[in-house]
Amino acid sequence: MAEDNRRGDEDERGPGAVYQMFVVMEDLLDKLKLLNYEEEVLRKNNMKTLSRHYFALPTNPGEQFFMFTTIASWLINKACRPFEQPQEYDDPNATVSNILTELRTLGGQVDFPPSKLKAGYGEHVCYVLDRLAEEVLKQTQFNWNKPNYPTEELEESSVMEDDSELTLNKMQEEMIEEPDDYEEHLMDLEALKAQTNTTETSESSKPDEILESTTDAAEWNLEVERVLPQLKVTIRTDNKDWRIHLDQMHQHKEGIESSLKETKGYLNRLQEEISKTLEKVASREKYINNQLEHLIHEYRTAQSQLSEAKERYQHGSGGVTQRTRMLAEITEELEKVKQEMEEKGSSMTDGAPVVKIKQSLTKLKQEIIQMDIPDRVVEHTLLQAKLKEKSNMTRDMHATMIPEATIGGIF
């Protein structure tokens, strides 16, 4: 009969929460016995029987974790959820994660990290198993009934007691239990008077010889000594009796009163001594104050001057702090300017840029020469084309002029 609210912050649950897992473990063991875990789990896997505090105390973490996973898988299967029984060399993180997933599916509340179950013992292990067992019992429609206590017959205790010893409790019980017998032995006054009258008449009628005893005194004393232990009534003291408590209260009261008298005297003397000492201290303090009054005045004056000097020091230290900050800023700017000047000076004195410029000029000249050769070739080609075109034009001109001349000569 586990409850979901039995877990939470330890401060809210109180100091008894540390021992709650022992109660949960005992309830879990009863539920496992109702589910016949001895036949279905222990004998099947050749395991030992669980003790009342098996999962509450650390004994063997490896064995306890394997037992926890085995019982948890068996309970999940009993709750009609298919779950493969974990083996000894399986990953414990995956096994614990699967068990918590099934517990959430069955309606269990999981508000703790899975690493709490890897130890194989503790409050959370007991809670998980108890919650699973409770779900299985709910599915089997098991109900917890009130216990029926059998009526036990009280047997008469036969105690052998000495007839010569009587306890006070026994005497009181006999007086309470047998009031009728005691009343039977009581006689009224009339019967007592009648009996005394009859005894007087009977004694007066007896002869005088009977009144004289013929028994030896020594034998009588021996008989008295022999019978005396049997006639002795010893009352055993019972610590539970109110009379004993009352006597103890009176004894303690007397002891307290006697101790109080002595202590009161000591305290009175101590009070007188303390009061005298206080008066002496007060008078000495007044004398010292009167003697050291001018020194106290000088001390107060010096203290006021010290406070003024502290104020001036704080004011001056504030100005120093401000000027120190300004000096730091100016120094930082100066460092920057120095760094820039060094960079510019190094760049001016360094010949590397000049070398680079010369190399660039040389490369540029080479490129110009390389570009000039194709230009010359192009110019030469253009010149040849122009010359060829000019020769062609001249030949054409000569060809046209010759026929005209021949035609004029003919006419």
Side-chain angles (χ1 to χ4, degrees), residues 195-251:
Q195 186 177 3
T196 52
N197 293 328
T198 53
T199 53
E200 288 177 358
T201 54
S202 61
E203 287 178 357
S204 62
S205 61
K206 289 181 180 179
D208 294 336
E209 290 82 4
I210 300 175
L211 298 176
E212 295 178 1
S213 177
T214 58
T215 306
D216 189 5
E219 294 179 357
W220 181 265
N221 290 329
L222 290 173
E223 183 67 20
V224 170
E225 290 178 0
R226 186 182 67 82
V227 181
L228 184 61
Q230 298 180 2
L231 299 178
K232 184 179 179 181
V233 177
T234 58
I235 299 175
R236 296 177 181 175
T237 58
D238 189 5
N239 294 327
K240 296 181 180 179
D241 189 17
W242 63 272
R243 296 180 182 86
I244 303 299
H245 291 294
L246 184 61
D247 294 337
Q248 290 178 355
M249 289 170 65
H250 287 300
Q251 292 176 2

Side-chain angles (χ1 to χ4, degrees), residues 295-330:
L295 296 176
I296 294 173
H297 181 69
E298 292 179 359
Y299 172 74
R300 289 176 179 173
T301 305
Q303 192 173 9
S304 62
Q305 292 177 359
L306 178 62
S307 61
E308 292 177 358
K310 285 182 177 180
E311 290 180 358
R312 291 196 299 271
Y313 171 74
Q314 290 178 356
H315 182 70
S317 63
V320 170
T321 304
Q322 184 177 3
R323 286 171 176 78
T324 305
R325 187 173 62 253
M326 293 174 62
L327 177 62
E329 292 177 357
I330 294 170

Side-chain angles (χ1 to χ4, degrees), residues 270-287:
L270 183 62
Q271 184 183 3
E272 291 175 358
E273 292 177 358
I274 292 172
S275 61
K276 290 179 181 178
T277 306
L278 288 175
E279 290 177 358
K280 290 180 181 180
V281 170
S283 62
R284 182 63 64 180
E285 185 179 359
K286 289 180 181 179
Y287 174 76

Side-chain angles (χ1 to χ4, degrees), residues 24-57:
V24 176
M25 180 60 205
E26 292 182 0
D27 293 343
L28 170 63
L29 192 59
D30 293 336
K31 294 173 184 177
L32 293 177
K33 288 180 180 179
L34 290 173
L35 295 172
N36 196 17
Y37 87 106
E38 295 176 350
E39 295 289 337
E40 298 183 9
V41 179
L42 299 184
R43 292 188 180 179
K44 182 179 179 181
N45 297 306
N46 194 14
M47 296 178 175
K48 63 180 182 180
T49 308
L50 300 181
S51 61
R52 292 190 306 123
H53 302 148
Y54 183 79
F55 289 114
L57 298 173

